[in-house]
Amino acid sequence: MSTHAEHSETAAARFERGLTVLDRVGGPNGRAVVESLADIAPDLGRYVVEFGYGDIYSRPGLTLPQRQAVNVAALTALGFAAPQLRWHIDGALNVGLTPAEIVEIIVHTAIYAGFPAALNGLTVARAAFADRPEAGNPVSASTIRPGETTEQRYERGLAKLAEVDGAAADHVLAALADIAPDLARYLIEFCFGDVYSRPGLDLKTRELATVAACTVLGTAGPQLRVHLHGLLNVGGTEQEAVETIIQMAGYGGFPAAINAIGAAREVFAERKPE
């Protein structure tokens, strides 16, 4: 269903609405990205404003901080868009995310895109924070537990995995049991015992970030389905899932978003009562 009742809306109206949102996210320098295209592709600059901000960002269903959180996750995961990641880290600060929350999103992305992507994302974040010292300290209190046993770490991860994925967790672990049981254990201990158990983000934000990352990567269909279930399990809504995927059309492309919507359709159908 369209979010804009007036289908006869002019391009000028969409552009103005987009500029309003762009100014909120980008702050005083928000329009620079559009102005930088004036000499080579002015129409692309207009599409960024009209479509990216006038159409997508203006939709209900996600707050601006949520939209910036999923963008930071997606651009970190993609790994090739450092200038855009820098812009959206600044945008995240502009709409109220803290440096510590931004760092947590990037750390979380290491699970899905790997350590190199997360390390590169943190390099971009460090530069952004250096220019914005007034934003606050990006370092959260350490969650390292020197005296913890491996079994305690495993049990914490198993409990967190069950909280997020429910019954699907058993299927994931069973699928690895006959070929790579150690990988299953690492998934529990590191992904859920270490990262998901960190206090810097709530579980819904972590799952929104995960849906965004898995969507733009385009290679994680089964995992996307698991985490769409996970998002709904921890209090997210179908609308928030769909909005996150729609937004990813602007960052991972329409094919990735369309494929992810197909996964969402299957997940929503599975969860409907008989």
Side-chain angles (χ1 to χ4, degrees):
M1 183 175 67
S2 173
T3 60
H4 301 303
E6 293 295 330
H7 294 286
S8 60
E9 183 179 42
T10 65
R14 291 170 57 228
F15 186 80
E16 287 304 315
R17 183 173 63 246
L19 280 180
T20 298
V21 180
L22 180 62
D23 288 342
R24 287 184 63 191
V25 176
N29 299 319
R31 301 188 186 192
V33 64
V34 179
E35 294 164 357
S36 70
L37 295 169
D39 64 334
I40 186 169
D43 283 353
L44 180 59
R46 191 168 190 96
Y47 297 153
V48 168
V49 177
E50 288 177 358
F51 175 66
Y53 291 89
D55 289 345
I56 293 182
Y57 262 74
S58 299
R59 292 171 60 87
L62 291 176
T63 65
L64 284 181
Q66 286 175 322
R67 291 191 182 278
Q68 287 307 104
V70 299
N71 279 354
V72 169
L75 291 168
T76 299
L78 285 173
F80 56 71
Q84 291 74 28
L85 176 59
R86 169 61 194 264
W87 197 94
H88 283 287
I89 288 173
D90 282 323
L93 295 172
N94 291 339
V95 300
L97 290 181
T98 67
E101 288 171 327
I102 292 166
V103 167
E104 282 299 322
I105 293 165
I106 295 172
V107 170
H108 184 86
T109 307
I111 297 173
Y112 302 97
F115 280 94
L119 291 170
N120 290 341
L122 288 173
T123 297
V124 176
R126 180 183 285 110
F129 301 153
D131 290 340
R132 302 274 293 269
E134 74 283 359
N137 187 348
V139 181
S140 299
S142 175
T143 60
I144 301 300
R145 303 168 177 86
E148 183 179 54
T149 67
T150 301
E151 196 57 35
Q152 288 171 325
R153 181 175 171 234
Y154 180 87
E155 290 300 324
R156 182 178 64 252
L158 199 61
K160 188 64 66 176
L161 175 61
E163 183 180 356
V164 174
D165 290 343
D170 295 334
H171 298 300
V172 173
L173 300 180
L176 295 170
D178 66 334
I179 185 169
D182 284 350
L183 181 59
R185 189 170 188 97
Y186 296 153
L187 184 151
I188 294 168
E189 292 174 351
F190 173 68
C191 298
F192 289 90
D194 290 344
V195 178
Y196 264 85
S197 296
R198 291 172 63 85
L201 293 174
D202 60 59
L203 284 178
K204 186 167 90 167
T205 302
R206 289 188 182 278
E207 287 302 274
L208 287 169
T210 301
V211 168
C214 288
T215 295
V216 299
L217 286 171
T219 56
Q223 292 74 27
L224 175 60
R225 287 171 175 80
V226 167
H227 287 286
L228 284 164
H229 279 294
L231 173 60
L232 299 175
N233 291 342
V234 299
T237 66
E238 291 185 2
Q239 184 183 20
E240 287 172 326
V242 168
E243 285 300 321
T244 298
I245 293 168
I246 289 174
Q247 179 153 318
M248 292 304 100
Y251 300 91
F254 274 83
I258 290 168
N259 290 342
I261 285 293
R265 178 183 288 110
E266 294 173 6
V267 168
F268 299 163
E270 290 170 10
R271 296 176 71 97
K272 290 190 184 301
E274 295 294 335

